[in-house]
Short mmCIF file of all heavy atoms in Angstrom, two decimals:
data_model
loop_
_atom_site.label_atom_id
_atom_site.label_comp_id
_atom_site.label_asym_id
_atom_site.label_seq_id
_atom_site.Cartn_x
_atom_site.Cartn_y
_atom_site.Cartn_z
N LEU B 306 -52.26 -125.41 -19.70
CA LEU B 306 -53.41 -125.07 -20.57
C LEU B 306 -54.25 -126.23 -20.80
O LEU B 306 -55.61 -126.13 -20.85
CB LEU B 306 -52.88 -124.49 -21.87
CG LEU B 306 -52.32 -123.12 -21.88
CD1 LEU B 306 -51.61 -122.82 -23.17
CD2 LEU B 306 -53.36 -122.02 -21.58
N CYS B 307 -53.73 -127.41 -21.07
CA CYS B 307 -54.57 -128.58 -21.30
C CYS B 307 -55.32 -128.94 -19.98
O CYS B 307 -56.52 -129.41 -20.11
CB CYS B 307 -53.71 -129.81 -21.64
SG CYS B 307 -53.04 -129.56 -23.35
N ALA B 308 -54.69 -128.82 -18.85
CA ALA B 308 -55.35 -129.10 -17.62
C ALA B 308 -56.55 -128.11 -17.44
O ALA B 308 -57.65 -128.60 -17.02
CB ALA B 308 -54.34 -128.89 -16.44
N TYR B 309 -56.34 -126.85 -17.82
CA TYR B 309 -57.46 -125.90 -17.76
C TYR B 309 -58.57 -126.28 -18.68
O TYR B 309 -59.77 -126.17 -18.39
CB TYR B 309 -56.79 -124.56 -18.04
CG TYR B 309 -57.91 -123.37 -18.05
CD1 TYR B 309 -58.47 -123.00 -16.89
CD2 TYR B 309 -58.06 -122.69 -19.20
CE1 TYR B 309 -59.40 -121.97 -16.86
CE2 TYR B 309 -59.01 -121.63 -19.18
CZ TYR B 309 -59.63 -121.31 -18.05
OH TYR B 309 -60.51 -120.24 -18.05
N LEU B 310 -58.15 -126.71 -19.82
CA LEU B 310 -59.13 -127.15 -20.84
C LEU B 310 -59.98 -128.31 -20.50
O LEU B 310 -61.19 -128.32 -20.59
CB LEU B 310 -58.40 -127.40 -22.24
CG LEU B 310 -59.28 -127.84 -23.37
CD1 LEU B 310 -60.10 -126.66 -23.86
CD2 LEU B 310 -58.31 -128.36 -24.46
N PHE B 311 -59.28 -129.33 -19.93
CA PHE B 311 -60.04 -130.59 -19.54
C PHE B 311 -60.47 -130.52 -18.09
O PHE B 311 -60.89 -131.58 -17.57
CB PHE B 311 -59.12 -131.79 -19.72
CG PHE B 311 -58.65 -131.93 -21.17
CD1 PHE B 311 -57.39 -131.87 -21.58
CD2 PHE B 311 -59.57 -132.21 -22.14
CE1 PHE B 311 -56.98 -132.08 -22.83
CE2 PHE B 311 -59.32 -132.34 -23.51
CZ PHE B 311 -57.96 -132.28 -23.86
N GLU B 312 -60.39 -129.41 -17.48
CA GLU B 312 -60.81 -129.17 -16.13
C GLU B 312 -60.26 -130.25 -15.14
O GLU B 312 -60.94 -130.86 -14.34
CB GLU B 312 -62.42 -129.18 -16.09
CG GLU B 312 -63.01 -127.98 -16.69
CD GLU B 312 -64.46 -128.08 -17.06
OE1 GLU B 312 -65.11 -129.05 -16.50
OE2 GLU B 312 -65.01 -127.24 -17.69
N ARG B 313 -58.94 -130.38 -15.27
CA ARG B 313 -58.22 -131.30 -14.38
C ARG B 313 -57.20 -130.41 -13.57
O ARG B 313 -56.85 -129.38 -14.13
CB ARG B 313 -57.45 -132.30 -15.20
CG ARG B 313 -58.33 -133.19 -16.06
CD ARG B 313 -58.93 -134.41 -15.25
NE ARG B 313 -57.80 -135.24 -14.73
CZ ARG B 313 -57.38 -136.27 -15.29
NH1 ARG B 313 -57.93 -136.69 -16.54
NH2 ARG B 313 -56.46 -137.09 -14.77
N GLU B 314 -56.74 -130.93 -12.49
CA GLU B 314 -55.74 -130.28 -11.78
C GLU B 314 -54.41 -130.53 -12.34
O GLU B 314 -54.01 -131.65 -12.53
CB GLU B 314 -55.83 -130.75 -10.28
CG GLU B 314 -55.08 -129.74 -9.32
CD GLU B 314 -55.03 -130.38 -8.00
OE1 GLU B 314 -56.02 -131.14 -7.55
OE2 GLU B 314 -54.10 -130.18 -7.24
N ALA B 315 -53.65 -129.43 -12.61
CA ALA B 315 -52.25 -129.61 -13.16
C ALA B 315 -51.30 -129.78 -12.04
O ALA B 315 -51.39 -129.20 -10.98
CB ALA B 315 -51.93 -128.43 -13.95
N ASP B 316 -50.39 -130.71 -12.15
CA ASP B 316 -49.38 -131.00 -11.19
C ASP B 316 -48.09 -130.47 -11.72
O ASP B 316 -47.57 -130.88 -12.75
CB ASP B 316 -49.27 -132.48 -10.83
CG ASP B 316 -48.30 -132.70 -9.75
OD1 ASP B 316 -48.57 -132.44 -8.66
OD2 ASP B 316 -47.18 -133.22 -10.05
N ILE B 317 -47.35 -129.64 -11.01
CA ILE B 317 -46.19 -129.01 -11.47
C ILE B 317 -44.99 -129.98 -11.56
O ILE B 317 -44.18 -129.91 -12.55
CB ILE B 317 -45.86 -127.74 -10.61
CG1 ILE B 317 -44.90 -126.86 -11.41
CG2 ILE B 317 -45.27 -128.07 -9.28
CD1 ILE B 317 -44.87 -125.46 -10.97
N TYR B 318 -44.90 -130.96 -10.71
CA TYR B 318 -43.84 -131.94 -10.75
C TYR B 318 -44.02 -132.83 -11.96
O TYR B 318 -43.05 -133.10 -12.69
CB TYR B 318 -43.85 -132.77 -9.42
CG TYR B 318 -43.46 -132.03 -8.24
CD1 TYR B 318 -44.46 -131.54 -7.29
CD2 TYR B 318 -42.14 -131.77 -7.93
CE1 TYR B 318 -44.03 -130.90 -6.17
CE2 TYR B 318 -41.78 -131.07 -6.81
CZ TYR B 318 -42.68 -130.59 -5.92
OH TYR B 318 -42.29 -129.93 -4.83
N ASN B 319 -45.24 -133.28 -12.21
CA ASN B 319 -45.41 -134.08 -13.35
C ASN B 319 -45.18 -133.28 -14.71
O ASN B 319 -44.57 -133.82 -15.59
CB ASN B 319 -46.85 -134.61 -13.41
CG ASN B 319 -47.00 -135.97 -12.61
OD1 ASN B 319 -46.06 -136.65 -12.36
ND2 ASN B 319 -48.20 -136.12 -12.16
N SER B 320 -45.60 -132.09 -14.73
CA SER B 320 -45.31 -131.31 -15.96
C SER B 320 -43.85 -130.98 -16.13
O SER B 320 -43.31 -131.02 -17.28
CB SER B 320 -46.14 -129.99 -16.00
OG SER B 320 -45.78 -129.18 -14.87
N LEU B 321 -43.18 -130.78 -15.00
CA LEU B 321 -41.67 -130.58 -15.14
C LEU B 321 -41.00 -131.86 -15.56
O LEU B 321 -40.10 -131.78 -16.43
CB LEU B 321 -41.18 -130.21 -13.73
CG LEU B 321 -39.75 -129.61 -13.63
CD1 LEU B 321 -39.62 -128.35 -14.41
CD2 LEU B 321 -39.41 -129.39 -12.14
N ALA B 322 -41.47 -132.96 -15.08
CA ALA B 322 -40.91 -134.27 -15.44
C ALA B 322 -41.16 -134.48 -16.93
O ALA B 322 -40.25 -134.98 -17.59
CB ALA B 322 -41.51 -135.37 -14.56
N CYS B 323 -42.34 -134.25 -17.42
CA CYS B 323 -42.68 -134.50 -18.76
C CYS B 323 -41.84 -133.66 -19.68
O CYS B 323 -41.36 -134.09 -20.73
CB CYS B 323 -44.24 -134.21 -18.99
SG CYS B 323 -44.73 -134.64 -20.64
N SER B 324 -41.71 -132.32 -19.35
CA SER B 324 -40.80 -131.49 -20.16
C SER B 324 -39.41 -132.05 -20.22
O SER B 324 -38.69 -132.03 -21.25
CB SER B 324 -40.91 -130.04 -19.66
OG SER B 324 -40.46 -129.94 -18.39
N GLY B 325 -38.93 -132.48 -19.07
CA GLY B 325 -37.66 -133.03 -18.97
C GLY B 325 -37.44 -134.28 -19.87
O GLY B 325 -36.46 -134.49 -20.58
N LEU B 326 -38.46 -135.13 -19.84
CA LEU B 326 -38.45 -136.36 -20.62
C LEU B 326 -38.41 -136.08 -22.11
O LEU B 326 -37.66 -136.64 -22.94
CB LEU B 326 -39.69 -137.24 -20.28
CG LEU B 326 -39.72 -138.54 -20.87
CD1 LEU B 326 -38.62 -139.48 -20.43
CD2 LEU B 326 -41.12 -139.24 -20.64
#
Side-chain angles (χ1 to χ4, degrees):
Chain B
L306 286 170
C307 290
Y309 178 64
L310 180 67
F311 298 118
E312 290 168 10
R313 299 275 299 263
E314 194 186 330
D316 182 73
I317 198 158
Y318 291 101
N319 275 335
S320 60
L321 193 63
C323 184
S324 59
L326 187 65

